[in-house]
Amino acid sequence: MSRTPSEDKKSPGFLGSPPFSGLFRKSPRTRNHTLDGPDEQRRQQQHPQSAAESMPTLLNFSPPPPLKRATKTFPRSMSLASGSEVSTLLNPVTPPFLTHKLDGEPYDDMDKGEGSSSKREGSSESSGSLDSVQIAAITVLLSKPTKRAVGLKLFVKEKEFLGLDYRYEHIKGDPATPLLWSLQPYLTLRRGTSFDMHVRQRRVWPRDPLLAKASLNVNDAIDALQALGSQDDATIHQYILREDPTVVVDLVAVPDLQANLNMASEISRKIKSVIKSLGGSREFLEKLMAYGSAISELDPVAKAVMSCVKETWKILLEQDKCNRVVVDLADRMARTLSFILDVQQFARLAQLKRALEDVRPLMQDTTNFILKYANRTMKEKAIDAAAFRDDIDSLKKKFDIFEEQFDRGLEVQAGMTVEEILGHLLSTKDDQILQELRPKGLEVTRPVSGCLEGTRTEALRWIDEWTDDFNAHNILWVNGFPGVGKSSIAASVITNLRTRNRLCSRFIFEREKATASTPNVLWRNVAYDLAQRYPSIRRAIVERLKDEDVDVETSNVKSLFHELIQEPLLAVEREAQENGSRPIPKGRLPVVVIDALDECGGRDGQRSGHRTSLLGTLKRWSRLPKHYKLIVTSRSEADIKQALTGISDPLPLSAGAEVDDNASADINLFLRKMFAKIAKAYLGTLPPNWPGPEVCDELTRRAAGLFLWATTAIAFINMGDPVQQLDLLLHGVGLGDVGLLYAKFLDVSFKDPTADVLQDFQKIVGAVAFAKRPLTTQECATLLPLSSPTMLDFVRKGLQSVLGSNASNALPVTPGGVGPVGLSMVVDPSEDVLRFSHQSFVEFLLSSRCSTPFRIDETTSHKNLAKSSLRIMDQQLRFNIAQFPDSHIKNAALVDLDYRAETLIGSPLIYAARFWMDHLQMCQWDEDIFEKVKVLILDKLLFWFEVLSVVGEIYGASATLRSLLKWCRDDADEEFIEFVEDALKFLDAFNTVMSQSLPHIYISALPFAPKSSKVAQRFRAQFPRLVCVEDGKFAEWPRVVFTVDEHEHEASINCAVFSPNDQSKFIASGSNDKTVRVWDAETGDLVSGPMDEHTDYVGTVAFSPDGKQIASGSDDGTIRIWDTESGEEVQVCEGGGLRHHKGVVTCVVFSNSGLFLASAGYDGLIVVWDMESGSEGYGSVVTVFGGHGGAVTSIAYSPDDSLLVSGSVDRSVWVRDALSGELVWGYKKPAEVASDEGEESEGDEEGEQEEQEDGKSEVAGEPEEHGEGEGRLEGGDEYCEVNEARVTPQKSLANGESLEPFGDHTNQVNCVVFSPDGKRVASASEDETTLIWDLEETADREQPFRLEGHTDGVTSIAFSPDGTRLVSGSHDGILILWDISTGNIVCEPFTGHRGGVTSVAFSPSGHRILSSSCDKQLLIWDADCIDGEPYTLTPFLDIPAHQDNVKSVAFSPDGLRIVSGSDDETIRLWDAETGEPINDVRFHREDLAGHHEHRFPQPPSHLQGVDVVAYSPDGAFIASGSGSSDGEVCVWDSATGALLQPVLRGHVGGIISIAFLPDSKHLVSSSYDKTIRVWDVESGGTIVGPLTPYPEGWITSAAVSPDGTKIASATNDFAIRIFDAQSGEQVGETLEARKEVINCLTFTPDSQWLVSGSYDKASQLYTETGCQDDDEQMTFSSIRVWNMETREMKWELEKAHEKHILCLAISPDGRFVASGSADETIMIWDLETKAPVLGPLEGHTSTIFAVAFNHDGTRLVSSSEDETIRVWDVSSMNDIRGCFVGARPAEFSDNAGYQQGWIVKSRRQESESLLLWVPPWCRSGVWWPRNTAVISEVSVKLDLRTFVHGESWAGCYESGVGH
């Protein structure tokens, strides 16, 4: 430390010379970790006396050794400055270091004696703790005058580090003026670093610009500082490096890294990029680039110029990006360092210590880099930004690594928990994830002052004690009337908690920010703050965000709270309990403060859904451990009181007649202090104690506990003469009458207002009061048409002058800190926001107490805002308003999208686009406004969508248009109504793509809109350079509203239902992935889930009547109850789940009262459960019903809950009393019939008993456990378990008759439902029919109403809410809508699923239909698009495409035709060139006449689908085989379609493969019956076989060699066996395939090689415990080539496909093999080298079942589960020769694929260019580049000749065309 000079050691005389006297003193900045910035320097300059008083005495220093020659001296007239205001001189006599003359020759002024040398050596030995030094400033005193500017160049480690600006002071003023360069942040130099500087003058050729050089030996400088003992303070010392000219550096003895990082952060924020400095020129440049590309094509010079401009712009964007990274890095380091210093004290782990040691140099390097970066030259700023990027990235990467090491080290170090060490430590990756939580739009919050010192002490003390009381509730409710100071108390509590390190998060609800400050935003904000402060909680939150379990934008607040708050906190608790530690140190336990809860939901208040959901989450908070504290402030409103009573500790703040003494004393104290200040201002006029205690007491009484009243009263007194104002107050305002005070304020502020002033006042104040979010001054000025440009400022200032603003100090802090109550302007660095600082003023302006001139009308205010919004949209909306640069990217990939929104769109237009309808719907019909609406909708609809896309609000457009329809439906013209309705369909179809990428509003949406779309018709002409849909364009909108298929459910979806409320807000679904999920019924977004407590398939779900809970039943035998919104399981009983069924639970349903839950299962039982919440029997079994003779598949309650209907695999339908279980409806049986049947029944029972004794059957008694897969509902004869003791007897009637259940079905019943009026029961069955019974007519055996139309079992049915229609879904993949009064089909079937339909449901409104399917999709259908006319089903053969999976395809031998077989039971022929059906050849089997006659007026080809087809080598015959159990093989005449022979029967299982021998006279087939047969085509007899390759298993594939000598078969023992085709004997050894399932075989044309395709699932993963995880297996498909002579494998290609290889084909020349897979791709491989030569070929959207080459190998045909057939041009493996030759974008190539609906360059890579988005109804039929034909119901051929995209996409628009 610097010491006071003693008398025996005098300071050198050199210090007393004028240049240094009074300057070189000790710095007052010691140990405070701050560096004086400009503000501090100005303060000290303004108060030099106080600064001088704080300076210590001069440094005492021993005389230096004598000099060899005369000492150079400074001019006496000079005054040398310093980078610091005060400092000490370290080497006052002469520089101890090497100096240089002007000519650069070195000389050494230092004594070379022993003393000096030994001193340096000694210093080196005792280098101690100092390892670095900082340079704060450099001063140069020129010895010779120069007329040129002087600058510095600094060199570190002999490399140029930094150039400092030129100085001109010596030219403009005194030539001897010292030149000072301050370094901010300070330059840090570590030991061993060389430092040199060049003093240079501005160069004028040919003179040398170098004036002098100076060097600093850093080691010597550190030693010298250490020798002084200076390592313990922050004194700045001046070090003279040389003389003539004199160079002095300011050295900081103890480098304060924290202060330097803070300074670096501050400096980095001031760095301004060239882009920002462009100002208005930026918009010009962006427009130039947007339109310049087209212009530049006209002129080569212009093209070159534009190229330069684009390159420059890219450089500027890179520089702007660099700036942001630098700022972020500096901020992170500054935040982290304080925690590092704490950790260093107890670090024990070696890795942690090493990380801490390494980070200091890294931070020093970073501050040095920022110093360099902040002092770049103009050239570097403008052009060379990229040159700094490597340095930036290197520093950032190093710090990222440190953060990971530091975090890991903290966790590992024994004896310490992370929470005790560190509040938060950001890692880059996690920080990016957490940024998702940061809500936008909350940067500016309402200013709230804390309580005046000395007030509210009791309340604050009580709150302080409560935060430490962990036996109290964990919620504190501070409540009271408006104006009692709740928010001020909250502000004071926040300050106190922050001081105690207990504040976790704070949030203020603001009524004017109702759309922005939502419960969603609250809990996201709290979660973010928790993650910042508590690393253990951080990990839990990040894990959920990483796993995408949480949709942070969800409207489901309960789910968000559960995932981001509740579960992370409970996870921390569980982990701590397991470790026997404390989750968070007691002194750092979090406290969350929520202020103004009553303002949540805006003006809707208690009616707001936001407020309801928030109160629900507060109840959930109350169930958290009590040390997680939450403080809430609000008014005492009914719903809040009801929610918080019993779960919180209330702290009521009294007012009015009940005001307590403490509150009155606080107000009195405030008044006395304020009056004292007023009296002081009128010193000499007013006495110091004016107006006296009596007046203060009176005013206190009138305030009645309202701090707001007191604040407003003082403000009123300050408005004029205080005596007169006080007199007015005392004689004019009553008890607690704030409204009268407000009225007086207005009268004073706006005396004698003109009509214009009053009108504009109401516009401005109305806009601020009713805006959907706070408006900025700019927005207000732009939105509101005012009478003069200055009116806004006039009104604002008028209100501020009366009521104050937070920017003014006119009013002191109130006792409650309530502050000003009027229109206040909150100043933010980026915006100024207008808002009322207290809602009581708004309430006054709306009330009758406000005088008429100033009173605002809500409707008028909304009308003004609506008109203004429509006006600004009309003026500013335009094409490509955000100048989106590239259609190949998504909005999220555009880094400066927010900046574009801010600068190119602007916040006024964004506000108008988002909220115009919110204001309009509050107004009555207005013709003038409607005309403006028509302009927006009819002319600028797509431009409006653009703005919404940029700001992420496109999904809100549907709600806006629905509100518009409601507003204008009764008054607008029909044409406009129809246009808006079409716009809604346009949004339903394309909002996904429009939300993801703005350009595709035009590029993808317009081309694929149907021909009838009024939106497309109106706007299409304005965009002539889009894709044209040449073929396959839909004429009408498809009925699919939207699809949920974003890979959420990983397996078949078994069930789905709408929530029962009128809004149909939710959809619940259950799946084979063992989960339950809840979706938003409007958008398809995941709301909650996956709920994954079930351990087996989820087969049934049901909503409770209030929609708050969901019941799910599973194959695991349990029923679980879930909270709909949060996804939490409701613990009905211990152990989780309701358990009673023995085996699969097939159905669950709530009673309509919600008091009961009924369930059915494979055990044949119906169980009724008590669901009355709070009852003693909650969750218990009420009763159990039997009766069915098999598994119960479906149950349903009647609307009045009196009846329960059930269906079963026993084919019966029971309608029973819901309480007793007695059969009450059915067919009457006469007494004698009943008796006969009873006897027969008894006999049957005896027979069954005997069978049981023989061990052949088990029907009654306790069932045995059955293995996995048993008991599946596949048919009426399935095994089921029946508890005989619970079988319900049939009802006996009075006349001896009895009732029997309905039994008209011929196969198992899948679904039963009641009609809405309870008079009908409908059932659906595997017999492909739906039956409807009228309960009042069927007792006398009236036949049920029969509905037939499906071609497979009917799985699910549902009545419409009005009971007039019924929808059915089937295994055939379609939905049919029926008129139940006539039995007619009312519209074309709903087609869109690629698999069987598993469930259907109507929405409560009846406007939507929901369906789930085995194809893993949920589809929402429009149920209104029905013309009402009866619809006749189209015969399948009249549709030019298959209607189900296409299982097999083959070319004719001449390549002219293609034959295909499908699950739709047909064989079809197609023209191989055009893809057109050949309708003159049909394949009908007369023995199937009448089968599905509604679809087959002429019989189909096979009974249950066609699995395989094959052409004979001579082309004369076509053979086909069925996949059904009948094992039928047919041989057809290929020319006529006639059967050559009767059906070939012999197999008893489905046909796997079929092939002709070369002579075309013999046919080989293999079957699931484990056999292979060789048939004689002419006789129909079996001539070889049946061969049984593997009796213990089954055949998976078979193939015949082209020479007809060999038959190869693969079996499920993973082996291949070869048989002689003539004798049937096995030939050679069995080929082993390493436990891989072989799905397909094929021979090469020379019969020498066999190729196999297999699927390997044997390579299993292992869990961390070492146990095998069956659900996690590495799977891949392999291709092998086998030598038929040696039986050796030629080669093996692993991982040929990602999923099963299901088909192979060899090219005719034997060079290539094509493979098709379940991964939806085709590959072509070189058979010699096994190298891929083509593919993956994409285009199919589902599993590929078959591939085949044509006769010359130029074409490949494929068929798929997507019901399509594709023909591919493979004549060249290199060049694409398909349908797009000469007109194909380069991005649309063989590698292109689908990625969630996008055609992308490659779906195998994440970030590829987006070409087009294809809607679901078109995807399977889109032609791909190599396609020459696509056979699909919707074959979509694209014309790409005029298509512009990528950076040229904006060229699609042609202004002035259309309409």
Side-chain angles (χ1 to χ4, degrees), residues 1257-1462:
S1257 174
E1258 290 185 16
V1259 177
E1262 286 298 319
E1264 295 181 0
E1265 294 295 325
H1266 58 271
E1268 183 179 355
E1270 290 182 305
R1272 299 290 175 187
L1273 299 181
E1274 306 246 338
D1277 298 326
E1278 286 290 340
Y1279 169 87
C1280 65
E1281 299 171 346
V1282 180
N1283 191 322
E1284 190 177 84
R1286 295 184 178 90
V1287 172
T1288 304
Q1290 298 174 1
K1291 182 176 182 179
S1292 297
L1293 303 179
N1295 57 3
E1297 296 179 332
S1298 64
L1299 286 180
E1300 64 178 8
F1302 301 128
D1304 297 84
H1305 283 294
T1306 59
N1307 207 328
Q1308 75 174 43
V1309 178
N1310 290 327
C1311 183
V1312 291
V1313 291
F1314 271 101
S1315 62
D1317 60 5
K1319 295 179 180 180
R1320 295 181 178 89
V1321 167
S1323 63
S1325 169
E1326 282 296 316
D1327 64 11
E1328 304 176 2
T1329 68
T1330 298
L1331 302 182
I1332 301 177
W1333 286 276
D1334 189 312
L1335 297 183
E1336 297 177 354
E1337 298 177 357
T1338 53
D1340 296 321
R1341 289 194 175 269
E1342 290 288 336
Q1343 289 298 313
F1345 203 52
R1346 185 178 297 270
L1347 305 178
E1348 294 183 277
H1350 288 288
T1351 58
D1352 208 335
V1354 184
T1355 57
S1356 182
I1357 52 176
F1359 278 101
S1360 62
D1362 62 5
T1364 62
R1365 289 172 179 163
L1366 180 138
V1367 64
S1368 60
S1370 165
H1371 293 306
D1372 61 16
I1374 67 172
L1375 283 73
I1376 297 179
L1377 194 60
W1378 309 83
D1379 185 320
I1380 66 167
S1381 62
T1382 64
N1384 292 329
I1385 299 173
V1386 299
C1387 63
E1388 184 179 354
F1390 298 79
T1391 60
H1393 281 299
R1394 300 193 305 269
V1397 177
T1398 55
S1399 70
V1400 293
F1402 267 99
S1403 65
S1405 66
H1407 298 304
R1408 295 284 187 264
I1409 294 173
L1410 167 68
S1411 62
S1412 64
S1413 169
C1414 297
D1415 63 7
K1416 309 176 188 178
Q1417 292 190 113
L1418 295 174
L1419 297 186
I1420 309 297
W1421 310 84
D1422 184 354
D1424 292 334
C1425 51
I1426 299 167
D1427 55 19
E1429 295 295 324
Y1431 178 86
T1432 302
L1433 292 172
T1434 305
F1436 278 169
L1437 292 176
D1438 291 348
I1439 302 173
H1442 281 295
Q1443 295 302 292
D1444 209 334
N1445 307 329
V1446 186
K1447 288 292 190 65
S1448 181
V1449 287
F1451 275 105
S1452 62
D1454 59 8
L1456 299 179
R1457 294 185 175 188
I1458 296 170
V1459 63
S1460 60
S1462 167

Side-chain angles (χ1 to χ4, degrees), residues 1649-1652 1679-1683 1688-1691 1727:
W1649 305 93
L1650 178 68
V1651 184
S1652 64
I1679 297 175
R1680 294 179 178 85
V1681 178
W1682 309 85
N1683 187 309
E1688 295 178 350
M1689 186 170 61
K1690 178 181 180 181
W1691 55 254
L1727 265 175

Side-chain angles (χ1 to χ4, degrees), residues 1139-1202:
R1139 300 174 184 269
H1140 189 88
H1141 290 284
K1142 294 180 173 63
V1144 174
V1145 178
T1146 57
C1147 186
V1148 292
V1149 59
F1150 279 95
S1151 65
N1152 295 288
S1153 66
L1155 299 178
F1156 302 104
L1157 175 75
S1159 62
Y1162 270 19
D1163 55 9
L1165 302 180
I1166 300 170
V1167 181
V1168 180
W1169 308 82
D1170 186 341
M1171 283 289 110
E1172 185 176 2
S1173 180
S1175 68
E1176 292 183 4
Y1178 181 54
S1180 63
V1181 174
V1182 176
T1183 185
V1184 179
F1185 303 141
H1188 283 291
V1192 181
T1193 56
S1194 179
I1195 51 177
Y1197 274 101
S1198 63
D1200 62 0
D1201 289 339
S1202 63

Side-chain angles (χ1 to χ4, degrees), residues 15 103 156 213 216 369 375 392 412 491 506 538 557 670 687 693 947 1032 1064 1149 1166 1197 1231 1237 1323 1333 1464 1658 1806:
L15 284 174
D103 58 5
V156 177
K213 295 181 180 178
L216 173 67
F369 174 80
N375 287 277
I392 295 171
V412 173
R506 61 179 289 247
R538 171 195 183 87
V557 180
F670 164 75
V947 175
S1064 316
V1149 59
I1166 300 170
Y1197 274 101
E1237 290 187 358
S1323 63
W1333 286 276
D1464 67 5
E1806 292 184 2

Side-chain angles (χ1 to χ4, degrees), residues 1447 1507-1508 1522-1525 1527 1547-1553 1565-1572 1590-1591 1593-1597 1639:
K1447 288 292 190 65
D1507 272 25
V1508 288
S1522 170
S1524 66
S1525 59
H1547 288 296
V1548 292
I1551 306 301
I1552 297 170
S1553 61
S1565 62
S1566 65
S1567 167
Y1568 288 115
D1569 65 4
K1570 309 177 185 179
T1571 68
I1572 297 173
Y1590 181 52
W1594 60 87
I1595 298 170
T1596 57
S1597 182
N1639 294 320

Side-chain angles (χ1 to χ4, degrees), residues 784-922:
L784 303 178
L786 303 176
S787 58
S788 75
T790 59
M791 188 60 73
L792 176 60
D793 283 339
F794 171 73
V795 173
R796 186 180 63 185
K797 289 177 181 178
L799 288 171
Q800 286 178 343
S801 66
V802 177
L803 302 171
S805 80
N806 72 307
S808 170
N809 292 323
L811 289 178
V813 179
T814 68
V818 175
V821 294
L823 184 64
S824 63
M825 183 183 74
V826 179
V827 180
D828 180 81
S830 59
E831 59 180 336
D832 57 323
V833 177
L834 301 175
R835 63 158 60 88
F836 293 105
S837 55
H838 203 279
Q839 285 302 310
S840 62
F841 184 62
V842 180
E843 293 163 359
F844 164 74
L845 292 172
L846 289 168
S847 70
S848 58
R849 301 183 62 200
C850 179
S851 60
T852 303
F854 294 104
R855 190 185 309 160
I856 57 175
D857 177 70
E858 182 174 0
T859 301
T860 303
S861 299
H862 281 296
K863 187 174 183 179
N864 289 335
L865 285 168
K867 292 170 66 176
S868 298
S869 297
L870 291 167
R871 173 181 52 81
I872 196 171
M873 286 193 290
D874 181 46
Q875 294 171 351
Q876 297 185 15
L877 285 176
R878 61 186 182 277
F879 174 71
N880 196 17
I881 190 170
Q883 298 176 17
F884 206 92
D886 191 342
S887 70
H888 290 166
I889 62 175
K890 293 183 180 181
N891 293 356
L894 193 59
V895 293
D896 63 343
L897 185 65
D898 290 343
Y899 178 81
R900 291 171 184 266
E902 177 186 345
T903 57
L904 300 178
I905 300 177
S907 60
L909 180 55
I910 292 173
Y911 181 90
R914 287 186 61 191
F915 299 118
W916 64 273
M917 193 62 222
D918 292 81
H919 297 299
L920 184 57
Q921 67 183 350
M922 302 300 293

